[in-house]
Amino acid sequence: LQYNLDYDTDSRKAFGNPTSFEDLCLAMEDLIQKGKIRGWGLCNDNAFGLTACSRTAKALGTTPPCTMQGDFSILDRKSEENGVAEAASPFWENTGFMAYNALAGGMLTGKYLEVPAALDDSNRARAMTSLEKPRGRMDTRGWGGTLYRYRSEAAQEAILEYNKLAKANKMSLTELSLRWCQQRNLITTTLLGHTNMQQLQESLDFMTKKNELPPDLMWEIDRIHMRNRLPLFSSNHVGKDWYGEGEIGEPIP
């Protein structure tokens, strides 16, 4: 299962020698046996990586991965559609899934609906104010650039639609987003970050509600999704000279 990078010496120079699934599983088992960790998992991997790691570990008699961490939100359902959900299910690898960026870097809180993120704001004076007193990560130069995918035109169109739907059902966009995430079969747990105690308390209130979102509301969410299926991977202004690169320079498969 070694990666074959013999033809690509630049990759070896950039990333070092590749790690095989066997080496990875044996290294994790060594840490477990030494009592340094209790379990291990994967992050941002795909269905092949999850299955290969799990099957390799079982073949070696070592502890398989117990969880997968991945970008997942009402805006980003790719893990439900690219085979990860099936691979992680109890019927196959029985691996938990931890969703991160469930609020899309803060975009699903609604705090950028009226005043755009600093890097997107055409009002320079207002943008500088946002940078000096950031409302969240989207108002910083570092994360604001890195997390642009949550602010693509398609993503913002979807956010507006979800916000309208939330209001029509007498809840906030945050509540709709978190409760939807909680109901997905794939999700074992949702990772959340907060900048103050009020946000933390609101999230706890939403996540501990006993009643689920009704089926008709879940269907309306699905209808928005089907009209705008992968908004994080869309862009309305990719230049012709960007051949092979995406919005922030990431390679396009």
Side-chain angles (χ1 to χ4, degrees):
L1 294 177
Q2 288 264 5
Y3 288 109
N4 180 15
L5 294 180
D6 291 338
Y7 65 92
D8 190 350
T9 56
D10 289 337
S11 294
R12 284 187 179 275
K13 291 177 183 177
F15 303 111
N17 290 325
T19 301
S20 70
F21 291 118
E22 290 92 340
D23 289 342
L24 174 60
C25 294
L26 290 171
M28 292 299 103
E29 184 65 19
D30 182 57
L31 293 174
I32 290 173
Q33 294 303 320
K34 289 178 178 177
K36 294 183 177 181
I37 62 173
R38 294 184 178 181
W40 64 285
L42 307 170
C43 180
N44 291 339
D45 212 328
N46 53 34
F48 170 74
L50 173 59
T51 302
C53 274
S54 183
R55 295 304 169 102
T56 300
K58 292 172 183 176
L60 293 172
T62 62
T63 306
C66 62
T67 189
M68 164 86 90
Q69 176 180 282
D71 197 340
F72 187 86
S73 69
I74 204 170
L75 288 179
D76 184 3
R77 300 198 196 185
K78 65 179 180 298
S79 294
E80 289 184 329
E81 302 180 350
N82 64 6
V84 167
E86 289 83 357
S89 75
F91 299 101
W92 295 108
E93 308 311 330
N94 195 26
T95 305
F97 188 95
M98 299 191 297
Y100 74 82
N101 273 337
L103 291 176
M107 293 300 293
L108 291 171
T109 65
K111 59 187 172 185
Y112 301 103
L113 287 173
E114 299 297 328
V115 176
L119 299 186
D120 303 333
D121 198 343
S122 59
N123 184 323
R124 184 171 177 77
R126 189 172 62 185
M128 292 306 295
T129 298
S130 296
L131 286 170
E132 291 167 4
K133 297 180 180 179
R135 294 161 289 174
R137 289 186 292 173
M138 293 300 180
D139 280 341
T140 63
R141 295 186 186 278
W143 282 113
T146 302
L147 299 178
Y148 173 77
R149 61 187 183 276
Y150 300 113
R151 307 195 311 276
S152 69
E153 292 89 348
Q156 300 216 45
E157 289 173 9
I159 289 169
L160 289 174
E161 290 298 315
Y162 288 128
N163 189 52
K164 290 178 185 176
L165 186 60
K167 285 184 176 181
N169 286 272
K170 298 180 172 57
M171 65 181 71
S172 67
L173 177 59
T174 302
E175 179 176 357
L176 179 74
S177 302
L178 292 183
R179 291 178 65 190
W180 174 87
C181 192
Q182 188 180 29
Q183 285 181 225
R184 309 310 291 174
N185 290 334
L186 168 65
I187 305 304
T188 307
T189 189
T190 303
L191 305 177
L192 296 171
H194 304 86
T195 55
N196 56 61
M197 291 300 294
Q198 180 182 351
Q199 290 180 356
L200 175 59
Q201 189 57 56
E202 288 176 354
S203 293
L204 289 173
D205 291 342
F206 300 150
M207 298 295 280
T208 54
K209 286 193 173 182
K210 301 296 183 183
N211 56 317
E212 294 187 340
L213 297 178
D216 58 339
L217 177 53
M218 295 294 283
W219 173 236
E220 290 304 317
I221 292 171
D222 284 346
R223 291 183 64 223
I224 294 173
H225 169 67
M226 287 187 285
R227 291 195 296 268
N228 193 351
R229 202 168 189 93
L230 288 173
L232 270 62
F233 302 93
S234 300
S235 174
N236 291 356
H237 47 87
V238 176
K240 187 175 181 179
D241 59 336
W242 293 13
Y243 182 75
E245 292 187 349
E247 192 71 45
I248 59 172
E250 75 279 13
I252 294 177

